[in-house]
Amino acid sequence: RVAPMTGIAGMKGGSELYMLTFRDQSESRRMDRMRSDFIANASHELRTPLASLFGFIETMRGPAREDAEARDRFLGIMHEQASRMTRLVDDLLSLSRLELKAHVMPTDNVDLVPLINHISDSLKPLAEELGVGIQISAPDQPVVVTGDRDELVQVFENLIENACKYGQSGGQVRVSVMPSGENDGDGVEVSVSDNGPGIPREHVPRLTERFYRVNVEASRSKKGTGLGLAIVKHILTRHRARLIVHSTVGKGSDFRVKFGAPQR
Ligand code: ADP
């Protein structure tokens, strides 16, 4: 699949100098296609709320002009559409920032125990609204990984929020922080599991693709952008950590983050 070599030859002092450039054209075509699919998807996702906003503006200028009650209702919907666009733009910006620093290794020492307790506290109002309980199990001593604190907050916020949103109403979300091997220093694992409807097997490998949703309408109604797990994947790659998903339809899902042993 390697494209023919392009050679640029020059002559200097009787000896030939060659500069060869190799390019895998099928790979670069695939990247171009991915980029243009991404732009098309992002534009479509932004256009939908925008079209709805224009529609309501026209209605408020015309038929609903004198109807205060209808105007209040429409303003509520317009506010929700504007919030949806803001969430999308924020997620797009996060992705583009992460791409820019893809090759820079984060260096903070982050204790995951207070970080996860803090996220769980901040998600309590959402969990209560959805009737979900969040249970945390973590060792008493610090569990430290090398990373970027804000990005790790984004990872676990996304996973715990998804477990609350897509899990079972009245159900339980369990978050466990644990060592990943038998020996001290083997690395760390964090599992976020729910007892919701689970994810059919064929969808699991595609969950971290940008804009991939198992159920588009359900995701929209739960204020999803379809970018959360793509952001998680980018952040974890930068942290040399892995995301492993186990899900059983009718039983629930387990999203597990595995951090490697610290580099000594
Ligand atoms: P969204 O912004 O739509 O929530 P994500 O990238 O975070 O996007 O997740 C992608 C899709 O994966 C979601 O739309 C949902 O269909 C599915 N998903 C994520 N987490 C869970 C979960 N815990 N249980 C069931 N489905 C999930």
Side-chain angles (χ1 to χ4, degrees):
R1 294 197 304 131
V2 176
M5 287 184 283
T6 354
I8 305 166
M11 296 284 287
K12 200 178 176 192
S15 64
E16 276 182 304
L17 283 179
Y18 284 98
M19 201 172 90
L20 298 173
T21 55
F22 294 89
R23 213 154 68 103
D24 182 337
Q25 288 190 339
S26 63
E27 178 60 16
S28 95
R29 267 200 296 273
R30 198 177 68 86
M31 296 298 283
D32 285 348
R33 201 166 44 240
M34 274 173 61
R35 209 165 291 132
S36 72
D37 281 355
F38 173 61
I39 293 171
N41 276 330
S43 312
H44 175 76
E45 294 289 333
L46 282 168
R47 232 170 185 285
T48 313
L50 208 50
S52 157
L53 278 173
F54 274 122
F56 282 110
I57 290 170
E58 287 311 309
T59 316
M60 284 171 66
R61 276 180 167 164
R65 201 183 193 116
E66 310 297 335
D67 184 343
E69 191 258 330
R71 284 178 46 173
D72 268 0
R73 199 155 33 87
F74 293 159
L75 280 172
I77 303 172
M78 288 166 78
H79 188 271
E80 174 45 40
Q81 298 296 342
S83 308
R84 184 172 148 195
M85 291 178 72
T86 308
R87 283 195 296 274
L88 198 61
V89 170
D90 285 347
D91 279 357
L92 288 168
L93 281 173
S94 278
L95 268 178
S96 115
R97 283 196 200 106
L98 283 165
E99 271 177 2
L100 280 179
K101 47 185 189 177
H103 303 293
V104 186
M105 280 292 283
T107 51
D108 307 338
N109 285 329
V110 185
D111 182 357
L112 292 177
V113 180
L115 181 129
I116 281 170
N117 279 320
H118 174 75
I119 295 169
S120 155
D121 286 344
S122 71
L123 288 173
K124 282 259 155 69
L126 172 76
E128 270 166 25
E129 191 187 313
L130 298 168
V132 172
I134 304 178
Q135 235 175 53
I136 297 179
S137 98
D140 291 331
Q141 64 271 38
V143 177
V144 178
V145 296
T146 307
D148 177 306
R149 190 174 195 286
D150 293 342
E151 290 179 14
L152 292 175
V153 167
Q154 240 180 319
V155 166
F156 294 110
E157 220 167 46
N158 252 302
L159 297 180
I160 301 173
E161 192 176 321
N162 276 352
C164 293
K165 288 193 309 193
Y166 301 110
Q168 182 159 290
S169 161
Q172 280 294 323
V173 168
R174 291 199 168 79
V175 186
S176 331
V177 185
M178 56 207 154
S180 69
E182 300 284 298
N183 305 311
D184 250 13
D186 269 351
V188 173
E189 245 175 77
V190 180
S191 144
V192 179
S193 62
D194 63 69
N195 55 353
I199 303 165
R201 176 189 286 261
E202 65 275 19
H203 293 285
V204 172
R206 302 196 58 190
L207 291 176
T208 56
E209 286 177 23
R210 294 162 179 201
F211 296 115
Y212 193 84
R213 288 115 151 181
V214 177
N215 178 333
V216 176
E217 280 320 305
S219 156
R220 288 221 172 105
S221 72
K222 291 170 197 278
K223 305 193 171 162
T225 60
L227 293 174
L229 291 176
I231 293 174
V232 165
K233 183 183 143 189
H234 264 272
I235 296 176
L236 293 182
T237 306
R238 227 164 85 68
H239 283 74
R240 307 231 169 106
R242 287 190 300 147
L243 177 70
I244 296 160
V245 183
H246 290 289
S247 191
T248 311
V249 172
K251 285 207 159 152
S253 309
D254 177 18
F255 285 72
R256 200 166 280 234
V257 176
K258 277 187 180 225
F259 294 92
Q263 311 281 322
R264 286 176 207 281

